[in-house]
Amino acid sequence: RDRAALMGHHLGEPHQTLVAEAPGTSGGGTGARAEIAQRAAAEAVRLTSHLGPRPLIAAVRDAVVALWPTSITRPKGDEVLRRAIGAIQDGAATTVAVSGPDSDGFPAAYRVARGTLAFAAAAGDGEIRGALTLDDLGAAGLLLRYAEPAELRRYAERTLGAVRRYDTDHGAELVRT
């Protein structure tokens, strides 16, 4: 927090945590995805350099992560991240997961936002472009809010694995239903 304050960030006030992954990077190598995330994060920082208080934006692994002060209502954080990724990837659209201010701290909010993207991708909601919250995931969002993603994946495989395999083998959409 002290280092962030020296850089002009005020992490003591409420923030949303936003996570965006560039589309079409899942087949690329880790280095390629990380490079895209680095470039998109730099573009997002450039786009927000005039704002106060300043959002904290960085590349984390293969994603762009922003701690967005809730006092900033324009521009919206998800819009900035989508614009930055679009600038790096020739106008590509992307999904941004948004986790509201979390009393459990930034690591928990990051875990929730990252899990939101993972659940949406696993559910086949890859066509969603824009802001995605836990509420958009229905029951999965409720579970993600209160459980560890790895545990939820194991539970889902135990309980729905046969149905998922049936969908894959027969071109059905039972899980989605």
Side-chain angles (χ1 to χ4, degrees):
R1 288 184 187 267
D2 292 340
R3 189 178 320 169
L6 290 173
M7 296 170 52
H9 305 288
H10 303 285
L11 298 181
E13 67 180 66
H15 285 68
Q16 290 182 316
T17 301
L18 297 93
V19 178
E21 294 176 325
T25 58
S26 58
T30 303
R33 292 189 312 257
E35 171 66 22
I36 291 168
Q38 287 283 343
R39 291 176 48 217
E43 177 64 9
V45 168
R46 186 189 70 74
L47 291 170
T48 59
S49 62
H50 65 286
L51 296 176
R54 293 180 53 204
L56 181 57
I57 304 168
V60 177
R61 295 185 190 94
D62 58 349
V64 180
V65 178
L67 300 179
W68 197 268
T70 58
S71 61
I72 300 175
T73 58
R74 290 284 174 223
K76 294 173 88 177
D78 61 289
E79 293 168 355
V80 169
L81 294 190
R82 284 196 317 273
R83 186 172 163 200
I85 289 173
I88 299 304
Q89 288 201 296
D90 298 322
T94 191
T95 303
V96 179
V98 180
S99 178
D102 194 322
S103 62
D104 293 332
F106 295 124
Y110 169 77
R111 178 186 54 80
V112 167
R114 194 74 190 227
T116 300
L117 282 181
F119 269 97
D125 293 337
E127 285 102 46
I128 295 173
R129 297 293 183 239
L132 181 65
T133 67
L134 283 178
D135 293 339
D136 297 322
L137 298 179
L142 182 64
L143 292 172
L144 182 59
R145 187 179 319 258
Y146 298 108
E148 291 295 320
E151 290 297 322
L152 291 174
R153 278 198 252 355
R154 284 193 285 280
Y155 174 77
E157 183 56 34
R158 281 193 318 270
T159 58
L160 298 174
V163 176
R164 288 175 46 145
R165 287 187 292 280
Y166 181 89
D167 281 358
T168 302
D169 293 346
H170 297 91
E173 292 190 2
L174 295 175
V175 171
R176 189 169 185 84
T177 301

